[in-house]
DNA sequence: CGCAGCTCGGGCAAATTTCCCAAGCCGGAT
DNA sequence: ATCCGGCTTGGGAAATTTGCCCGAGCTGCG
């Protein structure tokens, strides 16, 4: 860590908005110990940039067009398990946070955070620690009744199938017919899936399903 | 206008993310002729800041919690018709663009734009010209040629705002609180939106919103 | 002026969601 | 073999939401 302080921390910035990247770059560079060595504007390029520059920390917005940011996390971590990834986004849904961590993220910071909190999170992640902003800790705490891992791992096969069809736009009756179940059973699954994933609304469920690749939009 | 060039252009930044504001500030200040004289993190404070600092240009993100950014535009313009407002957001829906201009915006630039395009737009707006980024011009052009308007064209401004928040994962109560409406009204809008768009389930609504660029997954 | 459209909300029956519960089944642990 | 735990399937009842109708205020427009 002392050598980290001496060398500084190299950062790969991944965000699809050029001016936002530029702004972050300036904020980070002004810190003295943070150096943006590369940028990427989509999930696909993120891994290439990671390979090429081996940054200490990847700062990435998971709400990007094209492939999900969660995919990018898995992609990078699968091939470089020591990668440190800090998710930096405006979303603060518990399901997303859990999905990001189980995909291999080291930290999760919202854009509502103070700049100082963001740079501190980058330093924490660079040291190998987990980091999250206060608001994220709060939503996780509220949510804190499912200690189990990946969002989809806690779902059974039937639940996943029903989630897929639901997120695809099917009505409860259609799902019941497709699967030869009673409407009541499908309703119960619907409820179960929501509680298991921590989604509070159907919209969050759809977003979750989409971010896990369960459905395409 | 020559005195504008001599004095520089004063800017009020309105965005709800502190670090994003800080980033923009640095990018703009680095131009030499642009000076950020004030910031606001919500629509309600925007007018107060405008009054206090009389900036040449207001740069404002319309996707903020609380009152709609469109409200803020109308608010400022109603009391200071000479105000120059540049909308700066990640959304690129034709309906939103048209709503912003008819609310009194002088320009509309997306965050996908190059930083140079953004600063040039600020300068154009400061000169009293209309400004928009290339992608916005493109969607407006497409929109004016399309015989069958977008699904979103049949929705009112409030409906679009509520659809955006809903698709983003907000609960009915959260939306009601954000927009200072009764829960009942939000429920009615929810229903209206469904019937107008023909969506049968909330999931279909989310997919529709996503495919129109109203929200991102 | 009148009409149309948007915004905002009340009302009320019907439907759905939210929880709690039970039973059958199956695989693994004891 | 037996028990435990998890998955699957559904019933039931209270709480909430939806579906649809309504009116009122406001604004812009012919």
């Amino acid at each position: 860590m002392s050598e980290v302080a001496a060398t500084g921390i190299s950062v790969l910035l991944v965000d699809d908005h050029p001016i936002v990247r530029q702004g972050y770059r300036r904020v980070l560079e002004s810190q003295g110990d943070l150096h943006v060595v590369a940028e990427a504007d989509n999930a696909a390029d993120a891994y290439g940039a990671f390979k090429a520059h081996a940054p200490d920390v990847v700062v990435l917005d998971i709400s990007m067009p094209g492939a999900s940011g969660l995919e990018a996390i898995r992609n990078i971590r699968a091939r470089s398990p020591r990668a440190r990834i800090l998710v930096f986004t405006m979303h603060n849904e518990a399901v997303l946070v859990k999905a990001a961590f189980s995909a291999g993220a080291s930290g999760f910071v919202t854009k509502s955070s103070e700049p100082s909190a963001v740079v501190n999170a980058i330093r924490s992640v660079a040291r190998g620690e987990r980091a999250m902003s206060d608001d994220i800790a709060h939503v996780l705490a509220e949510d804190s009744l499912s200690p189990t891992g990946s969002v989809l791992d806690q779902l059974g096969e039937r639940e996943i199938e029903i989630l897929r069809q639901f997120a695809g736009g099917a009505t409860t009756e259609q799902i019941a017919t497709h699967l030869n179940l009673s409407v009541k059973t499908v309703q119960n699954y619907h409820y179960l899936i929501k509680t298991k994933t921590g989604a509070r609304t159907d919209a969050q469920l759809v977003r979750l399903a989409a971010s896990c690749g369960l459905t395409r939009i």
Side-chain angles (χ1 to χ4, degrees), chain A:
Chain A
M1 169 191 152
S2 52
E3 67 269 23
V4 168
T7 339
I9 301 172
S10 58
V11 174
L12 162 63
L13 268 186
V14 186
D15 191 296
D16 54 331
H17 302 304
I19 195 173
V20 173
R21 282 201 309 275
Q22 176 125 176
Y24 295 163
R25 174 187 279 267
R26 286 170 193 271
V27 171
L28 300 190
E29 298 273 356
S30 75
Q31 295 296 308
D33 60 333
L34 305 180
H35 305 292
V36 178
V37 297
E39 299 182 8
D41 67 355
N42 64 79
D45 291 350
Y47 180 67
F50 179 82
K51 261 297 290 281
H53 298 276
D56 297 318
V57 178
V58 180
V59 174
L60 148 151
D61 187 337
I62 51 175
S63 53
M64 292 183 299
S68 155
L70 293 175
E71 281 306 326
I73 298 176
R74 266 188 287 272
N75 223 322
I76 294 175
R77 293 278 301 188
R79 294 185 263 186
S80 304
R82 306 194 50 212
R84 308 290 185 198
I85 303 175
L86 176 64
V87 175
F88 182 47
T89 181
M90 63 181 194
H91 301 292
N92 66 346
E93 299 155 38
V95 280
L96 259 186
V97 179
K98 290 197 283 189
F101 276 118
S102 72
S106 298
F108 200 111
V109 182
T110 64
K111 292 189 177 178
S112 311
S113 310
E114 289 304 313
S116 62
V118 178
V119 299
N120 283 332
I122 294 177
R123 295 189 184 110
S124 294
V125 168
R127 284 195 301 268
E129 302 167 6
R130 193 187 285 289
M132 67 186 83
S133 51
D134 293 344
D135 51 351
I136 290 302
H138 194 262
V139 299
L140 276 191
E142 294 239 339
D143 184 78
S144 71
L145 278 184
S146 57
T148 41
S150 164
V151 188
L152 282 189
D153 288 347
Q154 51 191 322
L155 296 182
E157 202 176 303
R158 216 85 249 238
E159 291 161 343
I160 289 185
E161 180 57 32
I162 286 173
L163 174 56
R164 183 203 320 283
Q165 296 198 21
F166 170 77
T171 67
T172 302
E173 293 89 5
Q174 287 171 339
I175 298 176
T177 303
H178 290 156
L179 300 180
N180 261 105
L181 296 175
S182 82
V183 169
K184 182 65 195 178
T185 300
V186 177
Q187 289 173 340
N188 275 335
Y189 272 118
H190 190 341
Y191 169 71
L192 242 190
I193 294 167
K194 271 206 218 175
T195 58
K196 276 191 179 181
T197 59
R200 320 245 299 97
T201 67
D202 288 349
Q204 289 181 15
L205 221 45
V206 175
R207 300 167 69 85
L208 173 75
S211 69
C212 289
L214 221 48
T215 188
R216 294 157 270 103
I217 311 275

